């Protein structure tokens, strides 16, 4: 993987995580806001119908037997069924405040925490943080103590939740596309900046020591390395492998069997060999009369005469079974 690709992946990941974090925060705030709005709207709609006068009428109707009182309350509630939206997404149930027995309304209604609260004489209107179902339990104080519990099945709330999740998924997909686009632009900009910086550095340095084009090639190689003289099937190269072929020193990489795997142009000219020759290039051919280094020898320095020139050479072990040689003219004069 090239450094440009690595940079693009890191930029894409960073921007995507930021975008997802923002989307998550916005979604949570939006859901909580909708939940509060839905709960408040539910309470307001019930309060607009069950006014003080209507509640007084219910208190007056809660007389006689429990069943008779529950019937009277049902008659009053049915008179406001349209405004309370009974039968659409809301139901009501009537409970005996003393025994907790269901005495009217929806037959399969379940007792809620708000009903328990109303049995203590207070209005029960608590709702969860993200309510999918809501209810309000109102105590009726007549000859018979009853509780009217109006429940909303949360159909509208669930629809809003589903829409928010759909928007979140669409936003995540759009963010991914934008991240890929931005990371590509930024990676190209960084690569261009690196090459420009290398050019400026070379122009300010001693041109006699730095051959034309090496700095630009090294910077470009870090982001978009060109095809180099490397045998097929070799391992993927890291940053060190990318830079070394463009150094002003000669660079040769070979394995423990003496096969030359990589060599830069400077080394080819210093040693008078070529990896593209018809005959397979080996250590023995490249470094004539020089013994192969061993893995136990992490670094060896010395000189050799090759192609009519005295060269300083450093052999080093890169990893098990892999070695490199760095060459430089002993007189300091480049090729």
């Amino acid at each position: 993987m090239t450094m440009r690709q690595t940079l693009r992946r890191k930029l894409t990941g960073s921007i995507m995580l930021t975008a997802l974090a923002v989307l998550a925060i916005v979604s949570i705030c939006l859901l909580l806001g909708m939940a509060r709005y839905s709960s408040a709207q539910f309470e307001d709609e019930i309060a607009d119908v069950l006014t003080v006068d209507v509640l007084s009428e219910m208190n007056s109707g809660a007389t006689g037997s429990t069943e008779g009182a529950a019937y009277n309350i049902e008659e009053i509630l049915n008179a406001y069924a349209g405004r309370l939206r009974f039968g659409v997404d809301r139901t009501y149930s009537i409970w005996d405040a003393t025994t907790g027995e269901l005495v009217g309304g929806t037959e399969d209604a379940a007792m809620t925490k708000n009903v328990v609260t109303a049995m203590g004489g207070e209005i029960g209107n608590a709702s969860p943080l993200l309510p999918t179902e809501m209810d309000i339990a109102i105590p009726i104080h007549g000859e018979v103590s009853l509780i009217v519990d109006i429940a909303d099945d949360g159909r509208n709330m669930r629809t809003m939740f589903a829409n928010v999740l759909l928007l979140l998924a669409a936003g995540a997909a759009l963010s991914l596309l934008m991240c890929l686009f931005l990371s590509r632009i930024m990676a190209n900009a960084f690569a261009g900046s690196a090459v420009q910086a290398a050019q400026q550095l070379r122009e300010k340095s001693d041109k006699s020591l730095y051959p034309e084009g090496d700095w630009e090639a090294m910077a470009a190689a870090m982001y978009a390395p060109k095809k180099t003289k490397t045998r097929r099937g070799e391992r993927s190269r890291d940053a060190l492998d990318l830079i070394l072929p463009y150094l002003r020193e000669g660079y040769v990489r070979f394995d423990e069997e003496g096969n030359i795997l990589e060599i830069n142009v400077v080394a080819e000219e210093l040693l008078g060999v070529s990896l593209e020759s018809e005959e397979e290039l080996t250590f023995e051919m490249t470094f004539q009369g020089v013994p192969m280094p061993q893995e136990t020898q992490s670094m060896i320095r010395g000189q050799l005469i090759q192609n009519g020139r005295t060269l300083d050479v450093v052999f080093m072990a890169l990893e098990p079974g892999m070695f490199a040689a760095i060459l430089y003219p002993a007189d300091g004069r480049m090729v």
Side-chain angles (χ1 to χ4, degrees):
M1 182 185 300
T2 66
M3 184 167 288
R4 182 191 291 267
Q5 292 173 328
T6 302
L7 181 60
R8 283 179 54 191
R9 287 194 177 186
K10 290 182 178 180
L11 287 172
T12 301
S14 300
I15 298 173
M16 191 62 189
L17 286 176
T18 302
L20 290 178
V22 172
L23 285 174
I25 293 173
V26 171
S27 299
I28 291 174
C29 293
L30 185 59
L31 288 173
L32 293 177
M34 288 192 308
R36 293 192 185 97
Y37 172 78
S38 183
S39 298
Q41 185 181 39
F42 175 58
E43 293 182 15
D44 290 342
E45 290 177 357
I46 300 303
D48 288 342
V49 176
L50 302 184
T51 61
V52 174
D53 293 338
V54 174
L55 291 177
S56 296
E57 184 181 356
M58 289 183 178
N59 291 334
S60 300
T63 59
S65 65
T66 301
E67 289 75 12
Y71 177 80
N72 294 333
I73 299 299
E74 286 191 58
E75 289 293 314
I76 297 173
L77 289 173
N78 289 332
Y80 297 97
R83 293 178 59 186
L84 292 173
R85 299 200 339 241
F86 289 150
V88 179
D89 52 9
R90 292 178 187 170
T91 58
Y92 71 89
S93 56
I94 302 175
W95 304 78
D96 189 325
T98 303
T99 63
E101 181 184 358
L102 179 63
V103 294
T106 305
E107 297 181 354
D108 57 351
M111 182 174 288
T112 64
K113 292 182 179 179
N114 287 334
V115 173
V116 175
T117 299
M119 291 176 66
E122 300 179 359
I123 295 177
N125 59 354
S127 61
L129 188 62
L130 292 176
T132 54
E133 295 182 359
M134 299 173 288
D135 72 301
I136 294 180
I138 304 171
I140 303 300
H141 304 291
E143 291 183 6
V144 179
S145 295
L146 298 175
I147 296 171
V148 173
D149 184 56
I150 300 176
D152 189 299
D153 65 5
R155 185 181 306 171
N156 293 335
M157 192 64 188
R158 288 193 296 273
T159 300
M160 287 191 293
F161 285 173
N163 291 336
V164 170
L165 293 177
L166 183 61
L167 289 174
L168 179 60
L174 181 61
S175 298
L176 177 59
L177 294 177
M178 291 299 297
C179 289
L180 293 173
F181 177 71
L182 290 175
S183 64
R184 179 182 292 273
I185 293 178
M186 294 175 69
N188 292 338
F190 288 155
S193 298
V195 174
Q196 184 178 6
Q199 290 174 339
Q200 294 174 352
L201 182 61
R202 181 184 59 79
E203 291 170 358
K204 294 180 180 179
S205 62
D206 188 347
K207 294 185 178 180
S208 64
L209 296 178
Y210 300 95
E212 185 75 19
D214 277 6
W215 287 92
E216 293 92 328
M218 190 185 305
M222 290 294 291
Y223 289 93
K226 300 177 181 178
K227 184 177 181 181
T228 57
K229 298 176 181 180
T230 306
R231 295 190 185 279
R232 295 181 179 178
E234 291 301 313
R235 61 181 176 84
S236 59
R237 298 179 298 164
D238 55 20
L240 179 63
D241 294 315
L242 293 173
I243 291 175
L244 285 178
Y246 294 96
L247 292 176
R248 59 194 181 96
E249 290 85 359
Y251 167 69
V252 182
R253 185 164 64 90
F254 54 95
D255 59 22
E256 60 186 350
E257 297 179 356
N259 298 314
I260 302 300
L261 305 177
E262 187 173 2
I263 183 170
N264 66 356
V265 176
V266 177
E268 285 185 334
E269 295 186 3
L270 289 174
L271 296 170
V273 297
S274 175
L275 190 65
E276 295 179 350
S277 61
E278 295 182 1
E279 188 176 2
E280 186 174 355
L281 194 59
T282 63
F283 180 88
E284 184 179 358
M285 296 168 54
T286 306
F287 301 96
Q288 298 176 10
V290 178
M292 271 280 296
Q294 304 296 320
E295 291 186 7
T296 56
Q297 299 169 310
S298 59
M299 183 174 294
I300 306 173
R301 298 178 181 272
Q303 287 188 340
L304 60 88
I305 298 176
Q306 188 82 4
N307 199 28
R309 302 189 66 177
T310 302
L311 306 176
D312 290 324
V313 61
V314 177
F315 293 104
M316 64 187 73
L318 298 178
E319 58 186 60
M322 195 67 60
F323 303 89
I326 305 297
L327 303 104
Y328 194 83
D331 56 9
R333 296 175 56 189
M334 296 303 300
V335 178

